[in-house]
Amino acid sequence: LADACRHIVVQVPLDVQGGEAVVWGSSGASGDMDGPSLSAARLSSPRGLALDEVGQVLFVADGGNGRVRSLDLAEGVASTAVFGLQAPRGLAWRPASHELFIAELDLGRVLRLQWVAGSAALSASSLSVVPGASGLAAPAALAVSSMELFVADVGAQLVVRVALATGNVTFFGGGGG
């Protein structure tokens, strides 16, 4: 769970036995720091989350810092995956191709990151813009299937479906006041 107001991410156990929630960051303490431990990391207004297919890496849109952080859940280490973003919000993981999609709210576009575990942090300028997913009003949330990307554009109040192979776009909803 991303808690933008308290600047933390909370990992809640899903098993029936319960267990303790794990907190990444320091509640109420905004900051910009990777960390060798969960409590050492600092976030600023975390938003979207995406988990890789094996449950090893949790990606966090660190909105206030313009970064995407990767949290190695086994090691408990927080690292910067991407920096130089403008208000990252939504994230979506595409397992088949190991791609992370990043909604950049302020620039009205969605970026694509080909993820390689253990790689150095990348600048946003080195990422590719998803064809058909630029020029949006305010992309905030994402979902992806094997063939399509869905973008919730809160500025235009609609959902955009992008065919990843062709870049063809279909619009749903919208027009509300």
Side-chain angles (χ1 to χ4, degrees):
L1 305 172
D3 185 337
C5 294
R6 295 190 310 156
H7 310 291
I8 59 173
V9 171
V10 180
Q11 181 183 349
V12 180
L14 297 177
D15 61 11
V16 263
Q17 302 299 323
E20 292 187 31
V22 177
V23 177
W24 176 26
S26 179
S27 185
S30 174
D32 183 3
M33 185 184 315
D34 290 338
S37 69
L38 299 175
S39 60
R42 294 292 179 265
L43 304 169
S44 178
S45 194
R47 301 289 176 149
L49 302 173
L51 187 64
D52 75 351
E53 71 274 16
V54 295
Q56 172 86 23
V57 178
L58 177 67
F59 296 96
V60 178
D62 189 358
N65 290 318
R67 297 176 183 268
V68 170
R69 308 279 181 171
S70 63
L71 173 60
D72 183 318
L73 297 176
E75 301 294 325
V77 176
S79 304
T80 296
V82 182
F83 61 90
L85 297 165
Q86 296 294 315
R89 288 294 187 270
L91 300 177
W93 177 256
R94 187 177 182 203
S97 56
H98 291 95
E99 292 174 304
L100 180 68
F101 294 90
I102 305 163
E104 243 185 327
L105 187 82
D106 287 358
L107 294 181
R109 64 185 185 174
V110 178
L111 300 174
R112 181 189 316 227
L113 166 65
Q114 186 71 44
W115 175 252
V116 178
S119 63
L122 297 172
S123 167
S125 63
S126 68
L127 304 184
S128 62
V129 176
V130 176
S134 63
L136 302 170
L142 302 174
V144 69
S145 70
S146 61
M147 302 297 290
E148 298 172 314
L149 175 69
F150 297 87
V151 182
D153 187 340
V154 297
Q157 299 180 352
L158 54 84
V159 173
V160 179
R161 179 177 65 191
V162 180
L164 292 171
T166 64
N168 290 339
V169 175
T170 308
F171 300 97
F172 297 94

